[in-house]
Tab-separated table of all heavy atoms in Angstrom:
chain	number	residue	atom	x	y	z
A	70	ALA	N	31.894	-99.158	-70.485
A	70	ALA	CA	30.410	-99.429	-70.582
A	70	ALA	C	29.664	-98.480	-69.774
A	70	ALA	O	29.900	-98.140	-68.685
A	70	ALA	CB	30.160	-100.964	-70.369
A	71	ARG	N	28.349	-98.256	-70.296
A	71	ARG	CA	27.336	-97.706	-69.523
A	71	ARG	C	26.557	-98.806	-68.878
A	71	ARG	O	25.967	-99.761	-69.550
A	71	ARG	CB	26.388	-96.815	-70.289
A	71	ARG	CG	25.397	-96.046	-69.486
A	71	ARG	CD	24.546	-95.078	-70.423
A	71	ARG	NE	23.722	-94.181	-69.539
A	71	ARG	CZ	22.375	-94.120	-69.707
A	71	ARG	NH1	21.841	-94.823	-70.692
A	71	ARG	NH2	21.664	-93.338	-68.957
A	72	VAL	N	26.571	-98.841	-67.404
A	72	VAL	CA	26.081	-99.994	-66.756
A	72	VAL	C	24.859	-99.676	-65.882
A	72	VAL	O	24.915	-98.583	-65.228
A	72	VAL	CB	27.191	-100.615	-65.842
A	72	VAL	CG1	26.681	-101.827	-65.027
A	72	VAL	CG2	28.352	-100.925	-66.744
A	73	LEU	N	23.756	-100.498	-65.825
A	73	LEU	CA	22.695	-100.184	-64.971
A	73	LEU	C	22.664	-101.462	-63.971
A	73	LEU	O	22.754	-102.621	-64.429
A	73	LEU	CB	21.411	-100.359	-65.793
A	73	LEU	CG	20.144	-100.150	-64.868
A	73	LEU	CD1	20.064	-98.706	-64.332
A	73	LEU	CD2	18.896	-100.334	-65.856
A	74	ASP	N	22.700	-101.170	-62.675
A	74	ASP	CA	22.505	-102.296	-61.693
A	74	ASP	C	21.113	-102.151	-61.195
A	74	ASP	O	20.597	-101.303	-60.392
A	74	ASP	CB	23.460	-101.813	-60.451
A	74	ASP	CG	23.352	-102.725	-59.225
A	74	ASP	OD1	22.750	-103.783	-59.470
A	74	ASP	OD2	23.827	-102.435	-58.164
A	75	VAL	N	20.472	-103.262	-61.531
A	75	VAL	CA	18.919	-103.248	-61.229
A	75	VAL	C	18.762	-103.922	-59.898
A	75	VAL	O	19.318	-105.104	-59.617
A	75	VAL	CB	18.127	-104.112	-62.346
A	75	VAL	CG1	16.803	-104.411	-61.819
A	75	VAL	CG2	18.224	-103.335	-63.694
A	76	GLY	N	18.098	-103.370	-59.015
A	76	GLY	CA	17.780	-103.819	-57.677
A	76	GLY	C	18.975	-103.648	-56.781
A	76	GLY	O	19.444	-104.473	-55.970
A	77	SER	N	19.662	-102.470	-56.837
A	77	SER	CA	21.015	-102.141	-56.305
A	77	SER	C	20.944	-102.335	-54.786
A	77	SER	O	21.927	-102.566	-54.039
A	77	SER	CB	21.578	-100.842	-56.694
A	77	SER	OG	22.830	-100.739	-56.337
A	82	PRO	N	25.983	-104.716	-56.702
A	82	PRO	CA	27.359	-104.535	-57.019
A	82	PRO	C	27.840	-103.129	-57.358
A	82	PRO	O	29.059	-102.959	-57.633
A	82	PRO	CB	27.791	-105.488	-58.017
A	82	PRO	CG	26.597	-105.484	-59.009
A	82	PRO	CD	25.412	-105.287	-58.016
A	83	ALA	N	26.928	-102.128	-57.397
A	83	ALA	CA	27.366	-100.805	-57.931
A	83	ALA	C	28.444	-100.137	-57.353
A	83	ALA	O	29.429	-99.706	-58.146
A	83	ALA	CB	26.142	-99.977	-57.987
A	94	ARG	N	30.465	-96.290	-66.402
A	94	ARG	CA	29.554	-95.222	-66.034
A	94	ARG	C	28.293	-96.093	-65.558
A	94	ARG	O	27.520	-96.653	-66.199
A	94	ARG	CB	29.163	-94.342	-67.194
A	94	ARG	CG	30.304	-93.454	-67.660
A	94	ARG	CD	30.070	-92.946	-69.025
A	94	ARG	NE	30.096	-94.088	-69.972
A	94	ARG	CZ	29.287	-94.169	-71.104
A	94	ARG	NH1	28.297	-93.281	-71.377
A	94	ARG	NH2	29.394	-95.215	-71.953
A	95	ILE	N	28.072	-96.041	-64.080
A	95	ILE	CA	27.172	-96.966	-63.487
A	95	ILE	C	26.088	-96.123	-62.970
A	95	ILE	O	26.108	-95.085	-62.365
A	95	ILE	CB	27.910	-97.637	-62.304
A	95	ILE	CG1	29.066	-98.500	-62.844
A	95	ILE	CG2	26.858	-98.540	-61.636
A	95	ILE	CD1	29.886	-99.064	-61.858
A	96	VAL	N	24.805	-96.628	-63.237
A	96	VAL	CA	23.550	-96.112	-62.644
A	96	VAL	C	23.037	-97.168	-61.635
A	96	VAL	O	22.756	-98.355	-62.108
A	96	VAL	CB	22.528	-95.845	-63.652
A	96	VAL	CG1	21.185	-95.332	-63.020
A	96	VAL	CG2	23.025	-94.730	-64.619
A	97	ALA	N	22.893	-96.886	-60.414
A	97	ALA	CA	22.233	-97.834	-59.487
A	97	ALA	C	20.747	-97.571	-59.419
A	97	ALA	O	20.384	-96.420	-59.160
A	97	ALA	CB	22.954	-97.687	-58.131
A	98	LEU	N	20.044	-98.670	-59.601
A	98	LEU	CA	18.531	-98.357	-59.710
A	98	LEU	C	17.828	-99.308	-58.598
A	98	LEU	O	18.131	-100.452	-58.433
A	98	LEU	CB	17.907	-98.771	-60.982
A	98	LEU	CG	16.410	-98.634	-61.204
A	98	LEU	CD1	16.121	-98.327	-62.722
A	98	LEU	CD2	15.692	-99.952	-60.876
A	99	ASP	N	16.997	-98.620	-57.738
A	99	ASP	CA	16.258	-99.331	-56.766
A	99	ASP	C	14.978	-98.653	-56.434
A	99	ASP	O	14.894	-97.428	-56.619
A	99	ASP	CB	17.050	-99.554	-55.450
A	99	ASP	CG	16.547	-100.565	-54.644
A	99	ASP	OD1	15.553	-100.396	-53.785
A	99	ASP	OD2	17.011	-101.857	-54.674
A	121	SER	N	25.861	-92.880	-60.452
A	121	SER	CA	24.755	-92.086	-60.116
A	121	SER	C	23.574	-93.073	-59.714
A	121	SER	O	23.646	-94.299	-59.780
A	121	SER	CB	24.241	-91.248	-61.414
A	121	SER	OG	23.957	-92.159	-62.417
A	123	LEU	N	19.147	-93.902	-59.262
A	123	LEU	CA	17.680	-93.728	-59.851
A	123	LEU	C	16.819	-94.510	-58.940
A	123	LEU	O	16.930	-95.740	-58.842
A	123	LEU	CB	17.649	-94.138	-61.274
A	123	LEU	CG	16.259	-94.173	-61.829
A	123	LEU	CD1	15.763	-92.529	-61.920
A	123	LEU	CD2	16.288	-94.657	-63.342
A	127	ALA	N	11.827	-100.989	-61.644
A	127	ALA	CA	12.540	-101.286	-62.904
A	127	ALA	C	11.430	-101.525	-64.004
A	127	ALA	O	11.671	-101.077	-65.229
A	127	ALA	CB	13.353	-102.567	-62.841
A	130	ALA	N	10.379	-97.934	-65.042
A	130	ALA	CA	11.571	-97.197	-65.669
A	130	ALA	C	11.944	-97.640	-67.069
A	130	ALA	O	12.237	-96.717	-67.879
A	130	ALA	CB	12.754	-97.231	-64.732
A	131	SER	N	11.824	-98.978	-67.290
A	131	SER	CA	12.223	-99.438	-68.664
A	131	SER	C	11.276	-99.059	-69.735
A	131	SER	O	11.558	-99.205	-70.930
A	131	SER	CB	12.398	-100.978	-68.669
A	131	SER	OG	11.221	-101.622	-68.357
A	136	LEU	N	15.684	-94.432	-71.149
A	136	LEU	CA	16.314	-95.503	-70.529
A	136	LEU	C	16.375	-96.877	-71.291
A	136	LEU	O	17.312	-97.571	-71.204
A	136	LEU	CB	15.884	-95.625	-69.018
A	136	LEU	CG	15.931	-94.474	-68.153
A	136	LEU	CD1	15.102	-94.887	-66.929
A	136	LEU	CD2	17.393	-94.295	-67.684
A	139	SER	N	19.215	-98.480	-73.685
A	139	SER	CA	20.316	-97.473	-73.674
A	139	SER	C	21.562	-97.832	-72.897
A	139	SER	O	22.500	-97.116	-72.846
A	139	SER	CB	19.815	-96.135	-73.038
A	139	SER	OG	19.445	-96.379	-71.655
A	140	PHE	N	21.478	-98.956	-72.339
A	140	PHE	CA	22.691	-99.518	-71.508
A	140	PHE	C	23.520	-100.601	-72.237
A	140	PHE	O	22.905	-101.468	-72.889
A	140	PHE	CB	22.233	-100.047	-70.167
A	140	PHE	CG	21.717	-98.849	-69.229
A	140	PHE	CD1	20.294	-98.594	-69.338
A	140	PHE	CD2	22.409	-98.235	-68.494
A	140	PHE	CE1	19.918	-97.517	-68.563
A	140	PHE	CE2	22.097	-97.206	-67.656
A	140	PHE	CZ	20.746	-96.880	-67.767
A	141	ASP	N	24.789	-100.520	-72.120
A	141	ASP	CA	25.776	-101.528	-72.644
A	141	ASP	C	25.770	-102.908	-71.843
A	141	ASP	O	25.761	-103.875	-72.457
A	141	ASP	CB	27.159	-101.076	-72.589
A	141	ASP	CG	27.392	-99.733	-73.376
A	141	ASP	OD1	27.124	-99.768	-74.743
A	141	ASP	OD2	27.752	-98.695	-72.870
A	142	VAL	N	25.536	-102.699	-70.545
A	142	VAL	CA	25.393	-103.771	-69.569
A	142	VAL	C	24.378	-103.509	-68.588
A	142	VAL	O	24.296	-102.418	-68.111
A	142	VAL	CB	26.737	-103.997	-68.903
A	142	VAL	CG1	26.547	-105.127	-67.893
A	142	VAL	CG2	27.849	-104.360	-69.816
A	143	VAL	N	23.539	-104.542	-68.286
A	143	VAL	CA	22.521	-104.417	-67.183
A	143	VAL	C	22.850	-105.586	-66.349
A	143	VAL	O	22.980	-106.747	-66.765
A	143	VAL	CB	21.073	-104.446	-67.679
A	143	VAL	CG1	20.135	-104.483	-66.388
A	143	VAL	CG2	20.765	-103.308	-68.436
A	144	ILE	N	23.186	-105.377	-65.104
A	144	ILE	CA	23.554	-106.382	-64.115
A	144	ILE	C	22.647	-106.308	-62.978
A	144	ILE	O	22.040	-105.429	-62.611
A	144	ILE	CB	25.071	-106.017	-63.693
A	144	ILE	CG1	25.729	-107.254	-62.882
A	144	ILE	CG2	25.112	-104.810	-62.859
A	144	ILE	CD1	27.133	-107.127	-62.738
A	145	SER	N	22.508	-107.534	-62.400
A	145	SER	CA	21.622	-107.637	-61.246
A	145	SER	C	22.119	-108.916	-60.296
A	145	SER	O	22.438	-109.854	-60.866
A	145	SER	CB	20.170	-107.930	-61.694
A	145	SER	OG	19.282	-107.740	-60.502
A	157	LEU	N	12.677	-107.921	-66.296
A	157	LEU	CA	13.006	-106.658	-65.615
A	157	LEU	C	14.184	-105.893	-66.313
A	157	LEU	O	14.211	-104.851	-66.354
A	157	LEU	CB	13.289	-106.915	-64.213
A	157	LEU	CG	12.121	-107.164	-63.218
A	157	LEU	CD1	12.749	-107.562	-61.880
A	157	LEU	CD2	11.206	-106.058	-63.127
A	158	CYS	N	15.106	-106.733	-66.760
A	158	CYS	CA	16.366	-106.276	-67.181
A	158	CYS	C	16.709	-106.072	-68.724
A	158	CYS	O	17.210	-105.102	-69.125
A	158	CYS	CB	17.687	-107.091	-66.594
A	158	CYS	SG	17.755	-107.083	-64.797
A	161	PHE	N	16.218	-102.832	-70.867
A	161	PHE	CA	17.160	-101.758	-70.700
A	161	PHE	C	18.327	-101.883	-71.583
A	161	PHE	O	19.115	-100.940	-71.813
A	161	PHE	CB	17.643	-101.623	-69.250
A	161	PHE	CG	16.652	-101.206	-68.255
A	161	PHE	CD1	15.977	-102.027	-67.338
A	161	PHE	CD2	16.257	-99.754	-68.176
A	161	PHE	CE1	15.127	-101.578	-66.340
A	161	PHE	CE2	15.408	-99.282	-67.296
A	161	PHE	CZ	14.841	-100.208	-66.315
A	162	VAL	N	18.630	-103.135	-72.052
A	162	VAL	CA	19.861	-103.443	-72.748
A	162	VAL	C	19.848	-102.987	-74.123
A	162	VAL	O	18.848	-103.237	-74.924
A	162	VAL	CB	20.153	-104.916	-72.660
A	162	VAL	CG1	21.638	-105.169	-73.299
A	162	VAL	CG2	20.254	-105.293	-71.158
A	167	LEU	N	24.943	-106.487	-73.088
A	167	LEU	CA	24.863	-107.707	-72.215
A	167	LEU	C	23.963	-107.582	-70.971
A	167	LEU	O	23.973	-106.570	-70.360
A	167	LEU	CB	26.396	-108.045	-71.725
A	167	LEU	CG	27.358	-108.197	-72.702
A	167	LEU	CD1	28.718	-108.459	-72.053
A	167	LEU	CD2	27.128	-109.449	-73.690
A	169	VAL	N	23.761	-109.337	-67.353
A	169	VAL	CA	24.641	-110.148	-66.561
A	169	VAL	C	23.832	-110.511	-65.283
A	169	VAL	O	23.589	-109.483	-64.534
A	169	VAL	CB	25.953	-109.465	-66.246
A	169	VAL	CG1	26.813	-110.360	-65.250
A	169	VAL	CG2	26.773	-109.208	-67.510
Side-chain angles (χ1 to χ4, degrees):
R71 186 173 186 236
V72 179
L73 179 68
D74 175 16
V75 171
S77 190
R94 293 160 293 141
I95 302 173
V96 178
L98 182 149
D99 197 274
S121 60
L123 175 61
S131 62
L136 297 171
S139 67
F140 291 90
D141 302 298
V142 177
V143 177
I144 192 166
S145 192
L157 289 173
C158 294
F161 287 109
V162 184
L167 302 175
V169 181

